[in-house]
Amino acid sequence: MSAFKYRSLADLKRFLDIIVNKRLYGATYLSLNDPMEGQFDFELSKDLPHSAVQQLFDERSQTRICSLSQKHNSKDIPNNGILWSMYADEHRGCCIEVELADPKWKEITVYYSELPPIVDSPYVQVIDILSIKFNQWKYEDEVRYICTEPQSPYVKVNIKAVYLGIRMSKEDVEFYTSLIHSIDKNIVVRQLKRNEIKWVR
């Protein structure tokens, strides 16, 4: 299943990098917008030695995360009004529909919890920790592409469609449609309609 990446078009170079090179940037956990990202509770014991916890710290620091929004079925469109407002320049940006095309990265569905992850075993992996977020972020309906041993901060993707925001002018819609199709005619480009936007999932 593909997923949605909401983003502004203010940085045209970054947008073109995605379209031309078919890749998305994977951030470190410290650069994500949630300051509690990647935090976990633990208590050292004979079953959970310091070395196991230190290994989690080390893996967490090098892991790359690319955050997207889930596509639940083939007819699903990126109509989350809150995400358009927060990440796509208040509906003047775009949302890119992509599919993972890099086997080194894993697709992980995010689960939401009232409590941080608890590490109580040396078998807990950093990917388990980074798949849990606090309930306040539930509206993001997030799916992640994660790589624990990245050779590059970029994850390769197949681009299926680009959806343009409802506040984009007719001239800008024509411009971005022509620009995208000049790079790849197979990418579907269309502007969302106001009645397609939803504020509650």
Short mmCIF file of all heavy atoms in Angstrom, two decimals, residues 64-95:
data_model
loop_
_atom_site.label_atom_id
_atom_site.label_comp_id
_atom_site.label_asym_id
_atom_site.label_seq_id
_atom_site.Cartn_x
_atom_site.Cartn_y
_atom_site.Cartn_z
N ARG A 64 17.29 6.32 10.91
CA ARG A 64 16.62 7.36 10.12
C ARG A 64 15.14 7.03 10.00
O ARG A 64 14.75 5.87 9.83
CB ARG A 64 17.24 7.46 8.74
CG ARG A 64 18.67 8.00 8.73
CD ARG A 64 18.67 9.50 8.81
NE ARG A 64 20.01 10.07 8.86
CZ ARG A 64 20.27 11.37 8.70
NH1 ARG A 64 19.28 12.21 8.48
NH2 ARG A 64 21.51 11.81 8.78
N ILE A 65 14.31 8.07 10.08
CA ILE A 65 12.85 7.89 10.06
C ILE A 65 12.23 8.83 9.03
O ILE A 65 12.50 10.04 9.05
CB ILE A 65 12.24 8.20 11.45
CG1 ILE A 65 12.92 7.38 12.54
CG2 ILE A 65 10.74 7.98 11.44
CD1 ILE A 65 13.62 8.22 13.57
N CYS A 66 11.42 8.28 8.17
CA CYS A 66 10.65 9.08 7.21
C CYS A 66 9.18 8.93 7.59
O CYS A 66 8.62 7.83 7.53
CB CYS A 66 10.91 8.60 5.80
SG CYS A 66 10.03 9.56 4.54
N SER A 67 8.55 10.03 7.97
CA SER A 67 7.17 9.99 8.47
C SER A 67 6.17 10.34 7.38
O SER A 67 6.32 11.35 6.68
CB SER A 67 7.02 10.98 9.63
OG SER A 67 7.89 10.66 10.68
N LEU A 68 5.14 9.51 7.25
CA LEU A 68 4.09 9.71 6.26
C LEU A 68 2.74 9.45 6.92
O LEU A 68 2.66 9.10 8.09
CB LEU A 68 4.29 8.78 5.06
CG LEU A 68 5.64 8.88 4.34
CD1 LEU A 68 6.55 7.76 4.80
CD2 LEU A 68 5.48 8.83 2.84
N SER A 69 1.68 9.61 6.13
CA SER A 69 0.34 9.32 6.60
C SER A 69 -0.19 8.10 5.84
O SER A 69 0.09 7.94 4.64
CB SER A 69 -0.57 10.53 6.37
OG SER A 69 -1.87 10.30 6.87
N GLN A 70 -0.96 7.28 6.53
CA GLN A 70 -1.41 6.02 5.94
C GLN A 70 -2.43 6.22 4.81
O GLN A 70 -3.23 7.15 4.84
CB GLN A 70 -2.07 5.14 7.01
CG GLN A 70 -1.12 4.61 8.05
CD GLN A 70 -1.77 3.55 8.90
OE1 GLN A 70 -2.15 2.49 8.39
NE2 GLN A 70 -1.91 3.82 10.18
N LYS A 71 -2.35 5.33 3.85
CA LYS A 71 -3.41 5.17 2.86
C LYS A 71 -4.08 3.85 3.17
O LYS A 71 -3.44 2.80 3.15
CB LYS A 71 -2.85 5.17 1.43
CG LYS A 71 -3.93 4.97 0.38
CD LYS A 71 -3.42 5.18 -1.03
CE LYS A 71 -4.55 4.99 -2.04
NZ LYS A 71 -4.17 5.36 -3.41
N HIS A 72 -5.37 3.89 3.50
CA HIS A 72 -6.04 2.71 4.03
C HIS A 72 -6.62 1.79 2.96
O HIS A 72 -6.80 0.60 3.19
CB HIS A 72 -7.15 3.14 4.99
CG HIS A 72 -6.61 3.82 6.22
ND1 HIS A 72 -6.13 3.12 7.31
CD2 HIS A 72 -6.45 5.13 6.53
CE1 HIS A 72 -5.72 3.97 8.24
NE2 HIS A 72 -5.89 5.19 7.79
N ASN A 73 -6.94 2.34 1.80
CA ASN A 73 -7.48 1.52 0.72
C ASN A 73 -7.19 2.19 -0.61
O ASN A 73 -6.70 3.33 -0.66
CB ASN A 73 -8.99 1.28 0.90
CG ASN A 73 -9.76 2.58 0.97
OD1 ASN A 73 -9.84 3.32 -0.01
ND2 ASN A 73 -10.35 2.88 2.13
N SER A 74 -7.49 1.51 -1.69
CA SER A 74 -7.12 2.01 -3.02
C SER A 74 -7.83 3.30 -3.39
O SER A 74 -7.35 4.06 -4.23
CB SER A 74 -7.43 0.93 -4.07
OG SER A 74 -8.82 0.62 -4.08
N LYS A 75 -8.99 3.58 -2.77
CA LYS A 75 -9.74 4.80 -3.10
C LYS A 75 -9.42 5.95 -2.15
O LYS A 75 -9.92 7.06 -2.34
CB LYS A 75 -11.24 4.49 -3.06
CG LYS A 75 -11.69 3.51 -4.13
CD LYS A 75 -13.20 3.28 -4.09
CE LYS A 75 -13.64 2.31 -5.17
NZ LYS A 75 -15.11 2.07 -5.13
N ASP A 76 -8.62 5.69 -1.15
CA ASP A 76 -8.29 6.71 -0.15
C ASP A 76 -7.49 7.84 -0.79
O ASP A 76 -6.57 7.60 -1.58
CB ASP A 76 -7.48 6.07 0.98
CG ASP A 76 -7.46 6.90 2.25
OD1 ASP A 76 -8.26 7.85 2.34
OD2 ASP A 76 -6.65 6.60 3.13
N ILE A 77 -7.84 9.08 -0.44
CA ILE A 77 -7.11 10.25 -0.91
C ILE A 77 -6.60 11.02 0.30
O ILE A 77 -7.10 10.86 1.41
CB ILE A 77 -7.99 11.16 -1.80
CG1 ILE A 77 -9.22 11.65 -1.02
CG2 ILE A 77 -8.40 10.44 -3.08
CD1 ILE A 77 -10.04 12.69 -1.76
N PRO A 78 -5.60 11.89 0.11
CA PRO A 78 -5.06 12.64 1.26
C PRO A 78 -5.97 13.82 1.61
O PRO A 78 -5.76 14.95 1.18
CB PRO A 78 -3.69 13.12 0.74
CG PRO A 78 -3.89 13.26 -0.73
CD PRO A 78 -4.83 12.15 -1.12
N ASN A 79 -6.99 13.54 2.42
CA ASN A 79 -8.00 14.56 2.70
C ASN A 79 -8.02 14.99 4.16
O ASN A 79 -9.01 15.53 4.64
CB ASN A 79 -9.38 14.05 2.28
CG ASN A 79 -9.77 12.76 2.98
OD1 ASN A 79 -9.04 12.24 3.81
ND2 ASN A 79 -10.93 12.22 2.63
N ASN A 80 -6.92 14.77 4.88
CA ASN A 80 -6.83 15.16 6.28
C ASN A 80 -6.57 16.66 6.35
O ASN A 80 -5.45 17.13 6.12
CB ASN A 80 -5.71 14.37 6.97
CG ASN A 80 -5.66 14.60 8.46
OD1 ASN A 80 -5.79 15.72 8.94
ND2 ASN A 80 -5.48 13.52 9.21
N GLY A 81 -7.61 17.42 6.69
CA GLY A 81 -7.50 18.87 6.69
C GLY A 81 -6.47 19.41 7.65
O GLY A 81 -5.82 20.43 7.37
N ILE A 82 -6.29 18.74 8.79
CA ILE A 82 -5.30 19.19 9.77
C ILE A 82 -3.89 19.04 9.21
O ILE A 82 -3.05 19.94 9.35
CB ILE A 82 -5.44 18.41 11.09
CG1 ILE A 82 -6.82 18.65 11.70
CG2 ILE A 82 -4.35 18.80 12.07
CD1 ILE A 82 -7.10 17.84 12.95
N LEU A 83 -3.61 17.92 8.55
CA LEU A 83 -2.28 17.72 7.99
C LEU A 83 -1.99 18.67 6.84
O LEU A 83 -0.86 19.14 6.67
CB LEU A 83 -2.11 16.26 7.54
CG LEU A 83 -2.20 15.21 8.64
CD1 LEU A 83 -1.89 13.82 8.08
CD2 LEU A 83 -1.25 15.54 9.79
N TRP A 84 -3.01 18.98 6.05
CA TRP A 84 -2.85 19.99 5.00
C TRP A 84 -2.48 21.33 5.61
O TRP A 84 -1.62 22.06 5.11
CB TRP A 84 -4.12 20.12 4.17
CG TRP A 84 -4.24 19.13 3.05
CD1 TRP A 84 -4.99 17.98 3.04
CD2 TRP A 84 -3.58 19.17 1.79
NE1 TRP A 84 -4.83 17.32 1.84
CE2 TRP A 84 -3.98 18.03 1.05
CE3 TRP A 84 -2.70 20.07 1.20
CZ2 TRP A 84 -3.53 17.77 -0.23
CZ3 TRP A 84 -2.24 19.81 -0.09
CH2 TRP A 84 -2.65 18.67 -0.79
N SER A 85 -3.14 21.68 6.72
CA SER A 85 -2.87 22.97 7.37
C SER A 85 -1.49 23.01 8.00
O SER A 85 -0.77 24.01 7.90
CB SER A 85 -3.93 23.24 8.44
OG SER A 85 -5.20 23.43 7.86
N MET A 86 -1.08 21.92 8.64
CA MET A 86 0.18 21.90 9.39
C MET A 86 1.41 21.72 8.51
O MET A 86 2.43 22.36 8.71
CB MET A 86 0.14 20.80 10.44
CG MET A 86 -0.82 21.05 11.58
SD MET A 86 -0.68 19.79 12.88
CE MET A 86 1.01 20.09 13.44
N TYR A 87 1.33 20.80 7.54
CA TYR A 87 2.52 20.41 6.80
C TYR A 87 2.53 20.83 5.33
O TYR A 87 3.56 20.71 4.66
CB TYR A 87 2.70 18.90 6.88
CG TYR A 87 2.87 18.39 8.29
CD1 TYR A 87 1.94 17.54 8.87
CD2 TYR A 87 3.97 18.78 9.06
CE1 TYR A 87 2.09 17.07 10.18
CE2 TYR A 87 4.13 18.32 10.36
CZ TYR A 87 3.18 17.47 10.92
OH TYR A 87 3.34 17.04 12.21
N ALA A 88 1.41 21.29 4.82
CA ALA A 88 1.31 21.63 3.39
C ALA A 88 0.91 23.09 3.20
O ALA A 88 0.05 23.41 2.37
CB ALA A 88 0.35 20.69 2.67
N ASP A 89 1.54 23.95 3.99
CA ASP A 89 1.41 25.40 3.80
C ASP A 89 -0.04 25.87 3.76
O ASP A 89 -0.44 26.64 2.90
CB ASP A 89 2.13 25.80 2.50
CG ASP A 89 2.39 27.30 2.42
OD1 ASP A 89 2.29 27.98 3.45
OD2 ASP A 89 2.67 27.77 1.30
N GLU A 90 -0.82 25.37 4.73
CA GLU A 90 -2.23 25.78 4.86
C GLU A 90 -3.01 25.60 3.56
O GLU A 90 -3.70 26.49 3.09
CB GLU A 90 -2.30 27.23 5.35
CG GLU A 90 -1.67 27.41 6.72
CD GLU A 90 -1.68 28.83 7.21
OE1 GLU A 90 -2.02 29.74 6.42
OE2 GLU A 90 -1.34 29.05 8.39
N HIS A 91 -2.84 24.42 2.96
CA HIS A 91 -3.56 24.00 1.76
C HIS A 91 -3.04 24.65 0.48
O HIS A 91 -3.67 24.56 -0.57
CB HIS A 91 -5.07 24.25 1.89
CG HIS A 91 -5.71 23.52 3.03
ND1 HIS A 91 -6.46 22.37 2.85
CD2 HIS A 91 -5.69 23.74 4.36
CE1 HIS A 91 -6.90 21.95 4.04
NE2 HIS A 91 -6.43 22.77 4.96
N ARG A 92 -1.86 25.30 0.56
CA ARG A 92 -1.25 25.87 -0.66
C ARG A 92 -0.13 24.98 -1.18
O ARG A 92 0.44 25.25 -2.23
CB ARG A 92 -0.69 27.26 -0.36
CG ARG A 92 -1.76 28.29 0.01
CD ARG A 92 -1.14 29.65 0.32
NE ARG A 92 -2.16 30.60 0.71
CZ ARG A 92 -2.61 30.76 1.96
NH1 ARG A 92 -2.12 29.99 2.93
NH2 ARG A 92 -3.54 31.64 2.24
N GLY A 93 0.19 23.93 -0.41
CA GLY A 93 1.25 23.02 -0.80
C GLY A 93 0.71 21.80 -1.54
O GLY A 93 -0.24 21.90 -2.32
N CYS A 94 1.31 20.65 -1.23
CA CYS A 94 0.92 19.44 -1.96
C CYS A 94 1.00 18.23 -1.04
O CYS A 94 1.47 18.30 0.09
CB CYS A 94 1.84 19.23 -3.16
SG CYS A 94 3.52 18.74 -2.73
N CYS A 95 0.53 17.11 -1.54
CA CYS A 95 0.70 15.83 -0.88
C CYS A 95 1.13 14.83 -1.94
O CYS A 95 0.48 14.70 -2.99
CB CYS A 95 -0.60 15.37 -0.21
SG CYS A 95 -0.38 13.83 0.72
#
